[in-house]
Structures are given as structure tokens and as C-alpha cells.
Amino acid sequence: MNFWDQNFAGTEYRYGTQPNAYLARQAHRLAPRSTVLVPGDGEGRNGVWLARQGHRVTALDLSSVGLDKARRLAQVQGVAIDTQVADLGQWTPAPASADAVVFVFVHLPPGVREAAHRAAVQALRPGGLLILEAFTPAQLACDSGGPKAPELLYTLDLLRQDWGTALDELHAEETTTTLDEGPGHQGPGQVVHGVWRKRAL
């Protein structure tokens, strides 16, 4: 059993069942019935919420245990989502297949991160949106969750390097937030978040 299968074992939802607050604030930017990919969706809180807003969602995660819980959450909330067990380092979504890609606290090591971000950009249709929130290195001083390995933490400059010239920045910042996401994320947190739009060809 991998780390995330262990993390998601049991009936409790590690990061709660409500959507990430930044995603909820930015979701108004999505066109109705958007096709949305949610890599690293774990137990499904963000993908299920997006489906409740009327979007067509595919949730991806390395953990089959998490995705089982995502499907149960969707059933309880009366929506359907597609789920795929996926290693994001080898993720190959169809080009121009998505209206949006959502990364919420998906922390990947160097090499894997760049590959996953390239795949996400390629998956977006022209005009499609990428929405992301992640912890910055300043989170190492906090006890509200997140990885403790510096190489897994993101900065705005790092993300801008990953996107290159493919995406236009609509909103982005490094900031302090208050996390209330199940037992896994509680208290003040140091994050980077943003919304980017894929440039037209």
C-alpha cells in the first residue's frame, strides 16, 4: 500500500468534503458545463464540488483508495465523476481536451512536477483555465499541513517558469491563508495560488 493509500484509509475524509476555498472563489471563471481535469484529487472533494456546479469532471490520483472514496462522495451528493488511477509523472491527457485543469495542493518532486505541468498545459484548449493552490517554502514554519521537504514546495516564480509563454496570468500571488480542510489542513498556511489562461494558437 502506497503512502496515499494509507493516508486515505478509513472512513474519515483526510481533507474534508468541502472544496478548497480558493477554487470556490475562482470557479466563477469557468464556463457552464466545462470539461475539468483534477489531477491529484485524492478523496474527491474538489472534483465532486465541481460536478455539483454542473461541470464534467475527471478526477485523477495515484491512490485507488482515495478515488473509491471520491466515487462514494459523488454518489452521496448526487453527481457523477469519472476517476482514473494515474501517476502524474507519466500522465498523458489528450491534447486540447479540457476547458480547465485544477491543481489543489498537488506537490510533486522536480522532474515529475515539470512533466505534469507540461501535460496540463497541453491538455487545455485555447482559452482554457488552469487553477492552482499549493504551499510555499514559508509553510515549513507552519504546522497546518503540507510536505516538509523543501523541494516539494512551490513559488510563484517556479510556476511561471513551468508555464513559460503558454499561459497568460489572470491572478496570482503568494499569501497567508487560513486553512479549514478536514484534519489534514488546519490553521494558518503559506500558499501560492493563481489562475492562468492558455493562449490562443
Side-chain angles (χ1 to χ4, degrees), residues 155-177:
T155 65
L156 187 51
D157 284 345
L158 188 70
L159 294 171
R160 287 169 173 163
Q161 290 174 25
D162 285 355
W163 311 144
T165 60
L167 304 180
D168 289 321
E169 191 169 286
L170 304 183
H171 173 263
E173 62 180 349
E174 294 183 21
T175 188
T176 301
T177 192

Side-chain angles (χ1 to χ4, degrees), residues 20-45:
N20 171 261
Y22 183 74
L23 171 61
R25 291 197 303 273
Q26 299 299 326
H28 67 90
R29 300 178 186 268
L30 299 175
R33 291 189 56 76
S34 286
T35 298
V36 185
L37 302 178
V38 191
D41 199 31
E43 298 165 309
R45 64 192 178 100

Side-chain angles (χ1 to χ4, degrees), residues 48-103:
V48 169
W49 182 81
L50 287 163
R52 288 177 56 203
Q53 312 313 304
H55 302 300
R56 294 164 291 189
V57 175
T58 299
L60 306 101
D61 203 88
L62 187 61
S63 172
S64 60
V65 173
L67 292 178
D68 285 345
K69 293 171 78 172
R71 288 189 292 271
R72 289 199 294 272
L73 182 62
Q75 184 176 28
V76 167
Q77 298 201 10
V79 295
I81 61 171
D82 291 330
T83 59
Q84 295 180 12
V85 176
D87 179 342
L88 294 182
Q90 302 174 17
W91 180 40
T92 55
S97 60
D99 300 306
V101 178
V102 173
F103 285 104

